[in-house]
């Protein structure tokens, strides 16, 4: 986290560059929610602050737009430069130093919502894959081929397995709170996008032309492959899951 916030009286001065600002290219975007380092001497979880920055503030520059694996998201992701940007202290979200806590409060529920939508995308991809009943190859319906039936069955299995992980995480959030569900959310964040991309990939394979924009499959695949990064890399979630498992499992006696 390299962008800096320095307090000068009743103002905050922001300097830095944000490399992945989701929604910045949407013409309706009037302000940014910026999280940056405000006190490098504080404890690790109190170094960051969240602040509202109006888009038209002097010193704010939207530099460029990023596509996602070749596809342009409707709201856009951009590089945004902050060059001595000044906003009032009243623009702080919550409290100074509370940025990390604020981010964590929404990340768990936000991640599980992404997983819910990924399940819907996987269902849509499987529905499109079932057009194999209409396609003819080798003198008969493509769906009559054993390998195609296996792919359809594997997709249904993976969707249902991923759905159970997601439902379990949601149940624990509802009944015990976000903290109790932390490891389950991490499990969903790894397993659901993995399952979704495999299901979508099979649907692309069955379509043949699924790599084009004639169907939504290519764009859907790109988004859900990127999902394994933008809510935290798989590797970070796996480390969190392992640490939780190692911390709660007692050592068994040898033999």
């Amino acid at each position: 986290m390299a962008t800096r916030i320095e307090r000068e009286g009743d103002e905050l001065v922001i300097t830095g560059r944000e490399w992945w600002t989701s929604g910045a290219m949407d013409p309706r975007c009037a302000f940014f929610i910026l999280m940056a380092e405000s006190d490098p001497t504080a404890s690790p979880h109190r170094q960051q602050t969240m602040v509202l920055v109006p888009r038209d503030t002097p010193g704010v520059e939207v530099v460029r737009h990023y596509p996602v694996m070749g596809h342009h998201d409707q709201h856009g992701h951009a590089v945004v430069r902050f060059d001595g940007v000044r906003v009032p202290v009243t623009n702080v979200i919550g409290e100074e130093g509370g940025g990390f806590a604020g981010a964590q409060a929404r990340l768990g529920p936000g991640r599980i919502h992404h997983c819910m939508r990924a399940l819907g995308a996987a269902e849509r991809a499987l529905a499109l894959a079932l057009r194999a009943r209409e396609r003819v190859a080798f003198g008969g319906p493509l769906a009559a081929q054993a390998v195609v039936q296996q792919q359809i069955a594997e997709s249904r299995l993976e969707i249902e397995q991923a759905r159970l992980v997601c439902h379990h995480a949601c149940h624990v959030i509802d009944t015990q709170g976000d903290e109790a569900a932390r490891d389950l959310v991490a499990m969903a964040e790894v397993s659901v996008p993995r399952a979704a991309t495999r299901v979508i990939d099979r649907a692309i394979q069955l379509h043949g032309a699924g790599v084009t924009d004639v169907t939504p499959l290519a764009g859907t695949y790109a988004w859900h492959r990127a999902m394994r990064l933008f809510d935290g890399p798989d590797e970070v979630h796996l480390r969190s899951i392992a640490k939780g498992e190692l911390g709660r499992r007692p050592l068994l006696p040898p033999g």
Side-chain angles (χ1 to χ4, degrees):
M1 189 163 290
T3 299
R4 298 288 180 264
I5 297 175
E6 296 180 351
R7 182 163 182 167
E8 292 185 4
D10 292 333
E11 289 188 320
L12 300 175
V13 182
I14 304 166
T15 304
R17 186 186 304 231
E18 294 300 304
W19 293 96
W20 195 266
T21 306
S22 299
M25 303 306 298
D26 193 316
R28 300 167 296 177
C29 178
F31 62 87
F32 302 119
I33 298 175
L34 174 77
M35 181 169 164
E37 188 175 78
S38 55
D39 185 0
T41 64
S43 61
H45 294 166
R46 295 289 300 174
Q47 293 181 5
Q48 300 83 25
T49 296
M50 278 193 187
V51 61
L52 294 175
V53 182
R55 187 189 187 100
D56 58 1
T57 305
V60 174
E61 179 189 2
V62 178
V63 178
R64 59 166 294 190
H65 180 205
Y66 281 141
V68 178
M69 294 185 72
H71 289 265
H72 287 270
D73 182 65
Q74 59 178 338
H75 300 307
H77 309 283
V79 180
V80 181
R81 182 183 292 121
F82 298 87
D83 187 7
V85 174
R86 290 178 176 269
V87 297
V89 173
T90 52
N91 281 26
V92 169
I93 300 173
E95 61 177 353
E96 292 184 61
F100 181 84
Q104 290 301 311
R106 64 156 297 279
L107 275 175
R111 285 168 171 161
I112 208 69
H113 286 146
H114 279 154
C115 290
M116 293 174 187
R117 288 190 288 271
L119 288 169
E123 287 283 9
R124 187 183 187 191
L126 180 55
L128 289 170
L130 294 180
R131 293 173 62 187
R133 292 175 296 193
E134 304 166 5
R135 296 188 61 197
V136 175
F138 307 108
L142 195 61
Q145 301 294 325
V147 66
V148 173
Q149 294 176 5
Q150 181 178 348
Q151 289 179 344
I152 290 170
E154 293 284 0
S155 292
R156 173 50 64 196
L157 281 170
E158 292 189 359
I159 289 172
E160 296 306 325
Q161 290 166 351
R163 195 192 314 277
L164 287 172
V165 174
C166 193
H167 280 186
H168 185 32
C170 291
H171 175 71
V172 174
I173 289 172
D174 286 343
T175 57
Q176 301 178 46
D178 295 350
E179 182 61 26
R182 181 177 60 182
D183 288 349
L184 289 168
V185 170
M187 292 177 202
E189 187 61 38
V190 173
S191 61
V192 176
R194 282 183 177 179
T197 50
R198 285 194 292 264
V199 171
I200 297 164
D201 185 71
R202 294 188 192 105
I204 289 172
Q205 198 72 14
L206 290 176
H207 272 74
V211 292
T212 72
D213 286 339
V214 173
T215 74
L217 292 170
T220 305
Y221 182 89
W223 175 261
H224 289 88
R225 177 59 184 86
M227 188 177 165
R228 293 176 56 194
L229 289 166
F230 60 61
D231 268 342
D234 285 0
E235 291 79 4
V236 172
H237 295 305
L238 290 169
R239 183 180 66 176
S240 176
I241 294 165
K243 287 173 68 176
E245 196 70 13
L246 289 166
R248 70 173 154 263
R249 294 287 184 179
L251 285 175
L252 295 176

